[in-house]
Amino acid sequence: QVQLVESGGGLVQAGGSLRLSCAASGSIFSINTMGWYRQAPGKQRELVAGITRGGSTKYADSVKGRFTISRDNAKNTVYLQMNSLKPEDTGVYYCNGEFTWPMGAQDFWGQGTQVTVSS
């Protein structure tokens, strides 16, 4: 089994910064793409940023230039540095990873961490 544990969420004023971390543990063979998603109240979960094992990244248009995703493959950890935060960035942030083994692949999700940006 695999576990993803997020940390780093909290309450911050608009214009501030937060850094989220997500550490994977358990029966890990390899992790392909890792990503951060968020879900605001009353809205669908959306992709915020993703990063491949090789380091290629993609971002939602709404966070480009403000957020940076990175990962440490040796630590099975993905990070999200969030700068110039806006109230519309408020939501629960979930970590996702595509885990692979010789016999197949499966996605896993973390439990989520709350990010609240006050105006």
Side-chain angles (χ1 to χ4, degrees):
Q1 192 58 277
V2 169
Q3 297 82 39
L4 289 170
V5 179
E6 300 109 332
S7 61
L11 172 64
V12 65
Q13 288 188 332
S17 299
L18 284 174
R19 187 185 192 221
L20 306 182
S21 299
C22 172
S25 62
S27 301
I28 298 170
F29 181 78
S30 181
I31 311 175
N32 287 342
T33 300
M34 300 188 79
W36 288 95
Y37 292 72
R38 69 185 177 195
Q39 188 165 18
K43 295 188 177 180
Q44 290 188 333
R45 190 174 299 187
E46 62 175 354
L47 174 68
V48 176
I51 184 168
T52 67
R53 184 171 182 82
S56 297
T57 59
K58 63 178 178 180
Y59 296 92
D61 288 342
S62 60
V63 307
K64 284 180 181 177
R66 300 188 297 122
F67 291 11
T68 302
I69 189 170
S70 60
R71 65 188 283 176
D72 184 332
N73 291 330
K75 295 182 178 180
N76 294 319
T77 300
V78 64
Y79 306 95
L80 185 68
Q81 178 66 44
M82 304 185 293
N83 298 328
S84 302
L85 283 160
K86 303 176 180 180
E88 51 263 43
D89 294 319
T90 294
V92 179
Y93 283 67
Y94 296 92
C95 172
N96 171 270
E98 180 190 9
F99 293 77
T100 65
W101 297 267
M103 300 296 288
Q106 185 174 350
D107 273 20
F108 287 90
W109 292 86
Q111 81 286 354
T113 185
Q114 177 71 44
V115 171
T116 303
V117 185
S118 63
S119 57

